Structure formats: structure tokens, C-alpha cells
Amino acid sequence: MEETDREIVRLLAADGRMSYTDLARATGLSTSAVHQRVRRLEQRGVIAGYAAVVSAEQVGLPLTAFISVTPLDPAAPDDAATRLAELPEIEACHSVAGEESYILKVRVAAPGALEDLLARVRAVANVRTRTTVVLSTPYENRPPAV
């Protein structure tokens, strides 16, 4: 990817609502040239979408935790990610190397809700879990270093 495209990606990663005019000003290109480049970046999948960053605390989900998931039966099919997709409290599911198979990032309203979610995770996916509760988040959702 050429440097001008990298700059456009950096700018949009920091502010997905940045106008084509502001992107043009920041990159030294014309507005139409920026528009074409953004469209190409979208078509190539470099820019996968645009989303609002929602404050979990403000919507009543102040407790964040990471749940490490290990299958109870290692010989069983690895379909835990598919089974867990129905649980809306799971914000992210990462397949990982190591003792665990997956690490889930979850957000819930209170410790009781986390306890309930853990029971549902174990039942739905037939797994054992290890949980780490987040005490604070110094930073999150940083743009990638492109």
C-alpha cells in the first residue's frame, strides 16, 4: 500500500467521520482523488467499515472481563465459537494458541450478570472457563499502526 493510502487509513482510523474535504486538505490531494482512493480502499477490504464507539459504562455495561475457554472434551468438534455467537454479552472471540482455545471479551452490568454469563458459556459450548475481571482500561480501540 502506498504512503498516501496509509495516511488516509491513519486519518480515518482516528476519525471515521472525517470529510473528504478534510482528508484532501490533510493529504494534499483533491477531494475527488481522496474520494476515489477511499472507495478503492473500501473495495479492497482495507477499510472494512465504519462504526460508532459506544461507551459501555454509559449504556449500563460497566464490568468488562476476559474469559478463557478450554473444551471439556478435546476430541469433540471445535465449534465453540459458533455456539457462543448467540450470546450478546460477548464483544469479541479470539482463537488463541496455548492451553485455552478461545479468549472472550465480555461486557456485563454487574458481577451477578457475569456469573450468569459464565454458566451460559459453559452450558452452551461444553467448556471450562477461567475469568479475568478488568479493573481499569488505560486505553482501548487504538487505531492500527499502519
Side-chain angles (χ1 to χ4, degrees):
M1 180 171 21
E2 66 179 71
E3 189 54 38
T4 302
D5 287 344
R6 286 184 188 283
E7 183 61 20
I8 290 170
V9 170
R10 278 192 287 270
L11 291 164
L12 287 174
D15 179 5
R17 294 182 65 168
M18 192 173 213
S19 71
Y20 292 126
T21 303
D22 290 339
L23 283 168
R25 235 182 259 124
T27 59
L29 298 172
S30 69
T31 303
S32 63
V34 165
H35 185 257
Q36 288 174 353
R37 283 177 179 261
V38 169
R39 190 171 55 240
R40 276 196 307 257
L41 289 165
E42 291 168 345
Q43 290 169 346
R44 289 179 24 216
V46 175
I47 297 173
Y50 302 88
V53 178
V54 176
S55 168
E57 283 194 22
Q58 294 296 316
V59 297
L61 302 170
L63 196 155
T64 302
F66 291 96
I67 303 172
S68 299
V69 172
T70 306
L72 290 175
D73 179 6
D78 184 10
D79 61 352
T82 304
R83 291 173 173 222
L84 294 169
E86 70 186 51
L87 302 177
E89 298 92 339
I90 300 174
E91 183 175 297
C93 175
H94 303 278
S95 176
V96 296
E99 189 175 321
E100 290 92 7
S101 297
Y102 297 94
I103 295 179
L104 313 174
K105 180 181 178 183
V106 303
R107 294 190 191 265
V108 294
L114 178 58
E115 188 174 24
D116 174 65
L117 176 61
L118 287 168
R120 288 186 287 133
V121 165
R122 291 181 192 120
V124 166
N126 195 32
V127 295
R128 70 181 153 93
T129 62
R130 184 175 53 86
T131 305
T132 303
V133 174
V134 174
L135 299 177
S136 70
T137 303
Y139 51 87
E140 186 174 48
N141 299 324
R142 294 169 67 175
V146 291

